[in-house]
Amino acid sequence: MTTTNKDYVTLTGVLTSNPHKRRPNKFDQKRMGYTVTVVLDDGQEKKLDEIVETLVKATWPTKKPGNFTDYTKRVGTEDDMLSFSKRFINNFREDKMGNGRAKPDMYVRRGEVVTKLSDQEAMDIIYAGCHVAAVARPYVTIKPNPCVTLSIDKLLFLKDGTRMSGGVNASEAFEGFESEEEAVEAAGWDA
């Protein structure tokens, strides 16, 4: 790999979490924030491994510590999940103030221009199940346990995918229903 001054890598995959919903941290329920999980497209793990290897060698030039953990090499183990046997990246960003600033910046390409989305636009465009490009920034932590992990700073919507939530697009679900009576009749409900 050619070493560059970049401290990030852009990876493509399927977003499998809702990046708009503030929730407690999985391991510490008192910490509230936003989770971003992206199941990597085939071949993307090589790009991630190269930048992580460069970072680890710069941090520990001779030998990694014996209890070193690489959290960027996570593979899904639940066979009913999209991540099963695939590499994924995951990041929890704490929101101490409750103002939503911990969310990653979200973008869409409009022609040749990449445009940052407002919160409302992002909620309409970026959802669990869509395909994204994610800016991942690996970093090392030396104490208390030496490890490498990453932050997901930006998401770019690439294309629609299968929605992974129970949400239903009301316009699509009720297309063709012009009145309450027609909806009731078509559904076979008693009025």
Side-chain angles (χ1 to χ4, degrees), residues 28-72:
D28 180 355
Q29 297 291 308
K30 293 179 183 173
R31 294 176 58 208
M32 296 294 290
Y34 300 89
T35 299
V36 176
T37 304
V38 177
V39 176
L40 299 178
D41 289 339
D42 292 339
Q44 295 296 296
E45 61 276 347
K46 182 177 178 186
K47 291 169 37 179
L48 178 58
D49 290 345
E50 287 175 345
I51 193 169
V52 167
E53 182 179 329
T54 300
L55 176 63
V56 169
K57 283 183 180 178
T59 307
W60 295 287
T62 56
K63 185 173 114 176
K64 287 187 276 189
N67 57 347
F68 172 80
T69 305
D70 185 346
Y71 290 110
T72 69

Side-chain angles (χ1 to χ4, degrees), residues 48-117:
L48 178 58
D49 290 345
E50 287 175 345
I51 193 169
V52 167
E53 182 179 329
T54 300
L55 176 63
V56 169
K57 283 183 180 178
T59 307
W60 295 287
T62 56
K63 185 173 114 176
K64 287 187 276 189
N67 57 347
F68 172 80
T69 305
D70 185 346
Y71 290 110
T72 69
K73 291 190 180 280
R74 300 169 78 185
V75 176
T77 57
E78 297 180 41
D79 61 2
D80 61 339
M81 299 295 287
L82 182 63
S83 60
F84 181 61
S85 297
K86 291 184 140 193
R87 287 275 293 274
F88 67 91
I89 55 176
N90 177 270
N91 179 221
F92 175 80
R93 295 169 63 110
E94 188 171 5
D95 180 13
K96 293 179 182 178
M97 304 298 289
N99 57 17
R101 290 196 179 134
K103 291 183 197 177
D105 293 332
M106 298 181 209
Y107 298 84
V108 68
R109 180 177 292 282
R110 295 183 172 133
E112 295 297 314
V113 179
V114 173
T115 305
K116 185 176 179 182
L117 298 168

